Amino acid sequence: MPTLSRADNSILGRWWWTVDRWTLGAIGVLIGFGYIMMLAASPAVAERIGSSRDIFILKQVFFLAAAGGVVVAVSLLSPRSIRRVAIIGCIIALALTVATMFIGVEIKGARRWIALPGLSVQPSEFLKPCFAVVAAWLISEGRRTPRFPGKLLAIGVFLAIALLLKSQPDVGMLAVISAVFFAQLYIDGLNLFLVAMLLITAAFGGVGAYMFFPHVQRRVEAFLHPGNGIGTDYQPRTALEAFGNGGLLGRGPGEGHVKDVLPDAHADFVFAVAGEEFGMIVCLIIIAVFGFIVLRGLLRLLKEQDLFVVLSCTGLVAGFGLQAFINMASSLQLIPTKGMTLPLISYGGSSALAVAIGMGMLLALTRRRHHADAA
Amino acid sequence: MTDAPPANAIPRETPAWRRGAATGDAVPRIEMVRVTQPDLQRRGALEKTRGRLVYAAFGFGLLFLAVIAKLADATILQPLAPHRPEKSIEALFTAPKQSNSTMAAAQRAMITDRNGQILAISLPTVAVFADPRQIIDPADAAHRLKQVLPRLNEDEARTRLSDTNRQFVYLERQITPREQLAINNLGIPGIDFRPTEQRHYPMGRTASQVLGGTDVDEHGVAGVEKYFDRRLFDDNTPLRLSLDVRVQAVVRDELSKAIDFFQAIGGCGIVMDVRTGEVLAMVSLPDYDANDYRKAIDDQKFNRAVTGMYEPGSTFKLQTASMALDSGIVHIWDKFDAAHDIHIGRFTISDFEGKHRILYLPEVLAYSSNLGAARIAETVGGERQRAWLRSMGMFARVGIELPEAGLPIIQPASAWKEIVTMTVAFGHGISVSPLHVVRGTAAVATGVLQRPTIVALPPGDRPPAGAPVMEPAVADTMRRLMRLVVTDGFGKQAEVAGYYPGGKTGTAEKVGKHGYKRGFKENFNVAAFTSVFPMNGPRYAVYMMVDEPHGNKSTYGYSTAGWVAAPAAGRVIARVAPMLGMLPDTQDAPQINQALYIPLQPARPPAAPRGPVTAGSPPAPAPRPALTLPVSPLAPARPIARDPRHEAASSPAPAAAAPSLAAR
C-alpha cells in the first residue's frame, strides 16, 4: 500500500488517516479466509450447483473483491450520506423483500431469494444493516427533536419488517434483526423493567417459533435429543465429527470429508470445513478476528459523543457478531442448527455484499472527525 | 479521537480554593460553563449508554468464549471419532442387522483341523477406494496406481475413477501394508483406505466343500462356515474340526488319480473313525479353492459325500446280510437260489458274472450276487427290512453338521412292494448319500451306530456311546464276511498286507431324470468301495467312490467297483493307517487270518434247522442258533501303538512308519 502523507488532503488521504485501520485490517483478514474456504469448498459445491468449478471460483473471487471494494467505498461516505444511503437502502430492501413473496424463488420451502442473472439476492440480508442505521437515526432523532416520535416510528418499522420475515418465513433473520433492534434500545437506555419484559417476550417468541414452525421444532428436537432421529441429527453430528477429525492442526487443505456429505458445507457449515481441514488453531484465529471486530467496535463507542453513531454502530456490530456467533455455535452444536452464513467466509455473493455494506457503514461512522461533522 | 472534551468533563486539575468554604465544596476552576438542559440530558443518557455498551461488549465476549470452549471440546478434548462418508453410503445398501453384527464381532473365529492346522482364518486387511469427484486426472491416477499395484486392472480402474456420479468406488478389496504405504506415497487426492477383514483359506482346495465359504461381509454361505456362522461370530476360540488334513490330502490324491485314470467325471472319498463317528477326511471332486467360493461352479460346490444321493448298489448287501443274520431267520449256512433270474412283472433280476447255482450266504457277499441278496430279503420280508434300514439311519438326514446334508430318496411304505424289497436288498430302488453308506458299514462292522460328526471330539472326552443295532455275534460274523470279500471276493484289490481290511464293492447304475442313465455303448456307473480296517479290531471306515468311470486296457475294459474303487481304497488304507499311528501286523497274520476266517460254504451244525426260517413262521427268538465259529478271541492285532519303543522293538516295522509314529 502506498504510504500516504499526513499532509495529503485528498479524499483518500483523509480517509486513510481517519478510518479505523485495525478493523479494516481485520475485515481484510476475513476476506482472505473467505478465499481459502472457497477453494476448500469449491469442488463439492461446484458439483452440487452443477456449474463448472472454474466459473464458481471466478464468481466468488469477483464477489469477494467487490465486497472489499464496497467496504472501502461505503467507508468513504460521511455519516450524513450513510444515513441517506441507509434510508434509501432500507426502502429498496423492504420493497424487494415484499417482492420475494410474489416473484421470489422458492428454495427449501421458503421464499427469500430473488433471482438475478448470475446471482440470487436475499433482500433481507441487506435489510439488516440498513435497518440498523435507520432505527438508530429514528431513535436518536427522537431524542434530539422534541415531539418527533422517533422511537415509535422505529418500532413501527421494526414490526413491519418482523411481519414480512415471519411470512417468508425466515425465523433466523427475524431473530437477528429483533436482537439487533433490542440491543439498540438497550444501549439507548431502555428501562430495565422493559428490558426484562422484552427478554421474556423473546423467550415466548422462541417457544412460539418452536410450536408453529415444524422445521424449527425438528432442529430443536435434534439439538435436545441427539441421536434420536437419523435425518435431523445427521448434519450437526457430522459437523462435530469434522471438528474431531481435524483436531488441533487439521487434516490439511482438501483432506476434509464433511464438505462431501453436508449439503450446506460451503455456507452454513463452512466453519466445520475449516475445523476439519485447518484445525482448532485456525478456527481460534477466525473466532479471534470476529471477536476483535465486535469488541473493538463496541468499546470504541465509549468515546463517541453522537448517539446516532453509537446506536447505528451498535446495531451494525451486533448484527455482524450475532450472525458469526450463530453460524459458529450451530456448527459446534452449541445451539440448535440455524442456517446462517459466516460473514465474508461462507460462499455466496449476496451475503458477502450485504456484510460489506454493513462493515463499510461501521467504518464510515467511526472515522475520526470533528464534533460538528456528526449528523 | 474526537476533538470535543468528554461529556462528563470532570476536571482533572485540583479544585479551586474558595475563601470560607470547605475543601469538599470546592468547585471547578472553570466557572463560566453554560450547559443547556437538553445538553445535560443528552450527556446523562450518553453516560448510561456507555455503561450499557460495556455490558454488551461483555455479553459478546461471553458468547465468543463459549464458542471457543465448545471448539476446544469438539476438537481436542472430546473429539468424535472421524466418520467416513463411505460408511453412511454403505449403510444404505446393507441391512442394519448385518452391519451391526459385522461391527460387533472383532474377528471371526478360526477353523482348524483336529491337529490345529489352520483351515480358515480371518486376516485384517485394507481396502483401497476412491472418491471419483476428487480425482483430478483419472487416467494419470490409474496409471500411477498400476505402478505400485501391478494386479490392478488399469482400464477398469480408469473407468471407475472417471465415474464422477459416484462418491465411492472400490479399487482393490485387499492390499498389503506395503502396498498401502506405496499408494499413500503417491499422494493422489481422493484415494483413501478403509480397514476390512478377509477370510482366508490357507489350504486352498483342501476340504473346500466341508468349509464352504463366506461372502464379502464374512458371512458363511456354505459348509461349516454357514452351519456354525453364529458360533464363529460370537465365540472367538477356534472351531476344531474332526478332519485331519494329512488324511484329507491322501484321500484327495488317490481319488484324483482314480478319476484321471478312469476318465471319470468326479468322485468322493470319506474316512471316518468308527468308534466316535468323527470324519477324518471328506473329499468330493471336482472341488474348488475355498478362497474363490464366488467363482466356483455348481458342480465344484456340490458335496457328493453328503448332498449326492446315489443308489448304494451292492454295498447295501452288507445291510441285507446283517439284517438277515440279526433277525435270526437266516443262518450263515443257509443256501439261496442264484441259478435262476427272478421275474416280477416287467422286472428281471439277474447277476453280474453270476455263478448260476445255489449259493451259500458268504458266497452271496463274496460274489456279490443280486439274486442271492434278493432271496435273503424276500425271506426276511419288507417290513423288517424297512425297520432295519430305519434303525441304520437310512431314512433320515445323516446328522452331520453340514447344511448341505440331504435327505435320502426312499420309496414310501405304501409302495414298498416285494419287488422293492428285493431290489433294495442289493442297493437299487433307494438312494442315500455316501456318508449314509459309510455310517452303515461302520455299524455293521462294530454293531454300534454312531452319528457322523465333522467337529473333533474335545480331548479327554469319552467317545459317544452310539446305538447298538445288532447282536455283537452278528457283527463278528459280518466282520468275517467283509474280510472274506477282500480275501476271496470282488474286493481283492483292496487288500493291504498287515491291515486286514474288509469291505464290500458296489457298482450302481446312475439314476437320471428318466430312469437309469444309459449311454450308447455302456451304462453310466457309480463305482464304490466301502470298507473298514482292521477287521480284527475296527478303527476306521474308508469309502471311495468314482463317478462315471470308464474301463481301460489295464482293467480289461471293466469299470466296476472291484477294479476302480477297491484299489483306490486299498491305497488310501496303506498310506493313511501309518499316519494314524497304526503299524501293519504281518507277524501275526496267520493267527489273525485264522481268527477272521469263515468258509465260503459253512457246514450246517447238526442240530440246526434245515434252511432259513420261512417268513411266515415266528421270527425265532432266543435261543439263537450257535455259530459254527467262535467269536474271535483275539484282541485287535496292533491297533494303536501306545509305546513306540515297544513297537519298534517287537515288530519289524517298516522304516517309513516310524517317523510318522514319532511325529504323532
Side-chain angles (χ1 to χ4, degrees):
Chain A
M1 182 162 281
T3 49
L4 289 161
S5 160
R6 278 189 187 268
D8 188 341
N9 215 20
S10 70
I11 293 179
L12 215 63
R14 271 190 293 176
W15 171 78
W16 176 249
W17 290 113
T18 54
V19 80
D20 178 9
R21 291 187 296 280
W22 281 99
T23 302
L24 185 67
I27 291 169
V29 169
L30 286 185
I31 290 178
F33 275 119
Y35 276 115
I36 294 172
M37 294 320 296
M38 164 195 76
L39 293 174
S42 60
V45 181
E47 193 234 10
R48 203 160 287 134
I49 297 175
S51 61
S52 93
R53 193 180 164 192
D54 297 339
I55 288 180
F56 165 84
I57 289 180
L58 283 176
K59 269 168 80 172
Q60 187 69 356
V61 164
F62 167 75
F63 282 129
L64 284 177
V70 165
V71 169
V72 172
V74 173
S75 68
L76 283 170
L77 299 176
S78 69
R80 195 187 302 268
S81 314
I82 290 293
R83 199 179 64 206
R84 284 185 195 139
V85 166
I87 291 170
I88 294 168
C90 193
I91 290 168
I92 294 176
L94 258 176
L96 286 177
T97 308
V98 174
T100 53
M101 314 291 287
F102 306 104
I103 59 165
V105 190
E106 181 162 341
I107 301 177
K108 294 179 201 160
R111 287 181 174 274
R112 300 173 196 169
W113 288 270
I114 287 180
L116 297 179
L119 168 73
S120 54
V121 175
Q122 190 177 349
S124 57
E125 295 253 22
F126 294 90
L127 198 54
K128 190 171 50 174
C130 293
F131 172 69
V133 174
V134 167
W137 170 62
L138 288 172
I139 293 170
S140 63
E141 199 60 32
R143 275 191 184 278
R144 201 158 68 170
T145 316
R147 288 191 293 281
F148 180 73
K151 210 176 272 186
L152 281 179
L153 273 178
I155 290 174
V157 174
F158 167 73
L159 288 179
I161 292 174
L163 192 69
L164 264 180
L165 291 178
K166 190 202 82 65
S167 52
Q168 263 190 337
D170 192 346
V171 179
M173 188 61 76
L174 175 59
V176 170
I177 288 186
S178 304
V180 166
F181 187 56
F182 171 72
Q184 288 178 315
L185 289 178
Y186 171 72
I187 296 294
D188 180 47
L190 193 64
N191 187 323
L192 275 179
F193 173 75
L194 283 178
V195 169
M197 288 296 289
L198 280 177
L199 280 178
I200 292 168
T201 313
F204 274 109
V207 173
Y210 173 80
M211 305 239 293
F212 293 113
F213 295 103
H215 72 280
V216 175
Q217 193 167 359
R218 273 199 307 275
R219 286 179 180 178
V220 173
E221 283 295 324
F223 174 70
L224 293 177
H225 311 286
N228 223 6
I230 293 166
T232 47
D233 186 36
Y234 177 71
Q235 292 203 353
R237 180 172 171 78
T238 309
L240 274 186
E241 280 165 347
F243 284 108
N245 194 22
L248 186 65
L249 297 171
R251 310 295 296 184
E255 292 294 308
H257 282 290
V258 64
K259 62 191 182 191
D260 299 333
V261 286
L262 286 189
D264 289 323
H266 60 297
D268 297 355
F269 286 99
V270 73
F271 196 55
V273 176
E276 188 175 24
E277 300 198 351
F278 302 101
M280 178 189 174
I281 290 180
V282 169
C283 285
L284 281 179
I285 294 174
I286 291 176
I287 295 174
V289 172
F290 280 114
F292 173 79
I293 292 176
V294 170
L295 295 187
R296 180 177 170 85
L298 289 177
L299 294 178
R300 264 171 59 92
L301 295 175
L302 291 178
K303 296 172 208 151
E304 182 58 61
Q305 294 299 307
D306 192 325
L307 188 64
F308 164 66
V309 171
V310 170
L311 290 183
S312 39
C313 288
T314 301
L316 293 168
V317 164
F320 177 80
L322 271 179
Q323 191 177 338
F325 168 77
I326 289 175
N327 176 286
M328 295 189 288
S330 57
S331 282
L332 284 162
Q333 233 193 334
L334 197 61
I335 58 171
T337 312
K338 178 72 216 93
M340 196 155 287
T341 55
L342 191 57
L344 296 175
I345 294 183
S346 288
Y347 169 79
S350 168
S351 154
L353 288 178
V355 170
I357 289 175
M359 287 292 98
M361 288 174 166
L362 175 74
L363 288 174
L365 292 172
T366 56
R367 278 172 70 182
R368 275 188 296 179
R369 61 186 177 271
H370 290 291
H371 184 49
D373 277 359
Chain B
M1 268 313 124
T2 50
D3 301 321
N8 56 344
I10 295 174
R12 290 190 185 87
E13 52 273 79
T14 19
W17 180 79
R18 209 165 36 141
R19 202 178 296 268
T23 329
D25 290 332
V27 294
R29 191 188 293 267
I30 307 163
E31 294 187 48
M32 294 300 288
V33 177
R34 290 197 304 154
V35 181
T36 57
Q37 186 64 18
D39 232 22
L40 269 180
Q41 275 183 350
R42 216 186 74 205
R43 289 189 184 186
L46 275 175
E47 194 55 32
K48 196 176 187 181
T49 294
R50 292 201 174 89
R52 292 198 170 179
L53 275 175
V54 173
Y55 282 122
F58 186 70
F60 264 107
L62 281 185
L63 289 184
F64 283 109
L65 280 180
V67 171
I68 289 174
K70 180 71 185 179
L71 174 70
D73 180 64
T75 48
I76 52 175
L77 297 181
Q78 293 177 38
L80 280 181
H83 152 238
R84 297 301 181 90
E86 66 272 18
K87 257 179 198 161
S88 70
I89 291 160
E90 283 191 342
L92 296 175
F93 299 102
T94 51
K97 185 180 149 242
Q98 279 190 339
S99 60
N100 281 347
S101 60
T102 315
M103 301 299 159
Q107 202 178 25
R108 193 174 168 89
M110 278 200 303
I111 301 176
T112 72
D113 85 337
R114 63 186 302 111
N115 302 316
Q117 189 67 244
I118 296 171
L119 297 175
I121 186 168
S122 286
L123 298 176
T125 178
V126 169
V128 55
F129 69 90
D131 178 353
R133 298 175 314 157
Q134 296 183 20
I135 300 292
I136 296 159
D137 184 349
D140 176 60
H143 181 72
R144 286 164 70 195
L145 283 170
K146 175 79 177 173
Q147 305 309 310
V148 294
L149 206 64
R151 64 177 179 281
L152 188 77
N153 183 336
E154 193 180 330
D155 293 333
E156 197 188 320
R158 187 170 51 241
T159 315
R160 287 184 173 194
L161 290 174
S162 308
D163 183 7
T164 48
N165 289 327
R166 302 179 61 187
Q167 303 183 15
F168 182 91
V169 290
Y170 271 120
L171 293 174
E172 184 65 46
R173 288 299 285 245
Q174 37 176 333
I175 57 171
T176 63
R178 197 182 293 267
E179 287 164 340
Q180 184 185 7
L181 187 67
I183 293 173
N184 206 31
N185 284 343
L186 289 179
I188 305 173
I191 303 280
D192 207 343
F193 310 95
R194 66 184 293 254
T196 60
E197 220 173 60
Q198 180 68 31
R199 197 70 167 166
H200 192 63
Y201 301 91
M203 310 286 277
R205 292 176 172 270
T206 300
S208 45
Q209 292 101 343
V210 174
L211 294 169
T214 55
D215 62 12
V216 199
D217 300 320
E218 286 214 304
H219 286 272
V221 288
V224 172
E225 294 272 24
K226 183 178 181 185
Y227 191 93
F228 291 105
D229 196 32
R230 251 322 353 133
R231 143 79 172 83
L232 291 167
F233 261 123
D234 294 342
D235 182 2
N236 207 20
T237 54
L239 175 66
R240 188 166 152 259
L241 297 187
S242 59
L243 292 179
D244 184 325
V245 290
R246 305 168 303 170
V247 179
Q248 182 83 12
V250 169
V251 172
R252 185 175 187 281
D253 184 44
E254 291 299 341
L255 187 66
S256 166
K257 278 185 203 161
I259 288 171
D260 286 349
F261 191 66
F262 294 102
Q263 297 167 309
I265 62 163
C268 95
I270 298 170
V271 175
M272 187 181 95
D273 187 324
V274 300
R275 294 183 184 176
T276 61
E278 290 171 291
V279 174
L280 298 180
M282 181 182 283
V283 178
S284 175
L285 290 176
D287 56 10
Y288 59 94
D289 186 338
N291 295 300
D292 293 327
Y293 178 80
R294 271 154 284 166
K295 291 183 195 155
I297 58 171
D298 285 349
D299 189 37
Q300 294 170 329
K301 293 181 197 169
F302 185 73
N303 188 347
R304 286 173 157 78
V306 294
T307 317
M309 293 298 154
Y310 304 95
E311 293 202 326
S314 304
T315 57
F316 237 46
K317 286 170 188 160
L318 293 175
Q319 299 297 332
T320 305
S322 51
M323 165 187 76
L325 290 174
D326 193 59
S327 70
I329 300 169
V330 170
H331 315 105
I332 192 75
W333 55 83
D334 287 337
K335 292 172 280 189
F336 300 92
D337 176 15
H340 308 93
D341 290 357
I342 300 174
H343 301 277
I344 294 182
R346 57 191 178 91
F347 298 101
T348 300
I349 297 171
S350 59
D351 270 357
F352 174 78
E353 301 209 327
K355 298 282 180 191
H356 305 294
R357 60 174 169 86
I358 304 286
L359 295 176
Y360 285 82
L361 196 149
E363 289 179 312
V364 170
L365 285 179
Y367 306 137
S368 199
S369 166
N370 293 345
L371 291 168
R375 292 293 181 205
I376 295 173
E378 185 187 20
T379 308
V380 177
E383 207 165 309
R384 272 173 195 280
Q385 188 186 36
R386 283 181 64 82
W388 177 265
L389 292 179
R390 179 169 289 118
S391 75
M392 294 297 267
M394 299 294 179
F395 283 11
R397 287 184 211 277
V398 78
I400 195 165
E401 301 90 343
L402 289 172
E404 289 86 4
L407 263 179
I409 303 165
I410 313 284
Q411 297 281 357
S414 57
W416 203 279
K417 301 277 180 341
E418 190 184 22
I419 177 68
V420 176
T421 303
M422 284 181 159
T423 58
V424 166
F426 53 90
H428 285 70
I430 183 171
S431 290
V432 296
S433 73
L435 192 58
H436 278 98
V437 174
V438 172
R439 171 168 69 165
T441 309
V444 166
T446 61
V448 177
L449 188 79
Q450 291 286 3
R451 185 180 70 88
T453 176
I454 199 70
V455 180
L457 202 64
D461 273 25
R462 292 168 57 84
V469 282
M470 67 183 80
E471 293 290 327
V474 176
D476 184 79
T477 308
M478 288 309 299
R479 286 196 288 274
R480 294 162 196 259
L481 290 171
M482 286 167 73
R483 178 74 187 136
L484 184 71
V485 170
V486 175
T487 53
D488 296 90
F490 283 175
K492 278 178 189 153
Q493 298 203 52
E495 172 68 342
V496 182
Y499 286 118
Y500 312 98
K504 184 71 194 79
T505 55
T507 310
E509 290 171 74
K510 279 184 87 169
V511 188
K513 273 182 191 160
H514 311 287
Y516 288 111
K517 189 179 174 186
R518 290 173 201 274
F520 178 65
K521 270 186 171 174
E522 55 178 337
N523 301 340
F524 289 101
N525 292 336
V526 170
F529 187 76
T530 179
S531 63
V532 172
F533 76 94
M535 278 291 90
N536 53 336
R539 282 307 316 277
Y540 297 102
V542 173
Y543 175 94
M544 296 292 270
M545 181 269 269
V546 179
D547 199 350
E548 295 187 18
H550 299 279
N552 55 33
K553 226 177 242 176
S554 70
T555 65
Y556 312 102
Y558 284 119
S559 62
T560 52
W563 288 97
V564 174
R571 285 195 295 272
V572 167
I573 293 170
R575 290 175 65 180
V576 158
M579 288 178 183
L580 298 171
M582 302 176 70
L583 293 178
D585 188 351
T586 42
Q587 256 184 341
D588 305 325
Q591 295 97 302
I592 294 169
N593 277 331
Q594 180 58 41
L596 289 173
Y597 174 74
I598 194 165
L600 278 167
Q601 301 184 344
R604 181 169 61 87
R610 195 180 291 270
V613 183
T614 50
S617 61
R624 289 165 173 275
L627 291 168
T628 44
L629 293 159
V631 175
S632 167
L634 279 182
R638 222 156 269 256
I640 315 161
R642 295 279 175 217
D643 183 353
R645 282 169 302 142
H646 170 74
E647 285 302 319
S650 66
S651 71
S660 72
L661 233 165
R664 192 175 167 89

